[in-house]
Amino acid sequence: MSRLDGFISRMHSQRAVLNHIKEASMIAPDGVILEIGLGNGRTYDHIRELFPDNRIIVFDRAIGSHPDSTPPEADLILGDIKETIAQFSGRDVAFAHADIGTAYPEKDAKTLTWLPQSIAAALKTGGVAASGLPLEHPELEPLPLPAGADPGRTYFYRKR
Ligand SMILES: C[S@@+](CC[C@H](N)C(=O)[O-])C[C@H]1O[C@@H](n2cnc3c(N)ncnc32)[C@H](O)[C@@H]1O
């Protein structure tokens, strides 16, 4: 598969999981959402369209998003997510979306030393996570991917 096809598959998969979470009403309107990796702001923009009533807290090192999809300052946490996400431990988050994979195995291996437990600690029981990197953690139960999401492009979990 070419890198272009791989990218398209990742985008389709992200959207399929996000839309499924909305269609299956997996998040209460007052549930807090974490967007882990703002990047250009495309998935942030999609999430806020799907969940207009939910607070979305967004993490990145720095703002690199399009002005139309830049979160309000109060909802933006800048810095190394490895450090900044710690403040959400035990905060009963309803949904965490993480898109911080790099396709460089050695970098992703470092991220995976802290990301799964950070997300597990932030989520409430029954909260859901979608991630471009696998989140192996005893408290995170893998969920079946919805139609339109390709295995290996996105990973989907519920906190036990
Ligand atoms: C692939 S982009 C996210 C793209 C986004 N989902 C979108 O639709 O535009 C990943 C982002 O995560 C950020 N990132 C990755 N690891 C990080 C870390 N440890 N701390 C802070 N930001 C990080 C990068 O700066 C980058 O902007």
Side-chain angles (χ1 to χ4, degrees), residues 1 10 43 48 63:
M1 182 183 279
R10 186 163 71 87
T43 50
R48 74 179 172 180
I63 298 173

Side-chain angles (χ1 to χ4, degrees), residues 10 14 35 37-43 60-61 79-82 97 99-101 114:
R10 186 163 71 87
Q14 283 180 344
E35 168 70 330
L38 171 65
N40 186 279
R42 292 188 185 99
T43 50
D60 210 305
R61 284 197 181 86
D80 187 342
I81 298 166
K82 180 181 177 183
H97 176 250
D99 184 19
I100 58 171
W114 55 267

Side-chain angles (χ1 to χ4, degrees), residues 44-63:
Y44 166 69
D45 192 43
H46 197 70
I47 290 169
R48 74 179 172 180
E49 242 184 57
L50 291 174
F51 305 104
D53 297 326
N54 294 73
R55 181 150 187 224
I56 307 168
I57 311 282
V58 185
F59 298 79
D60 210 305
R61 284 197 181 86
I63 298 173

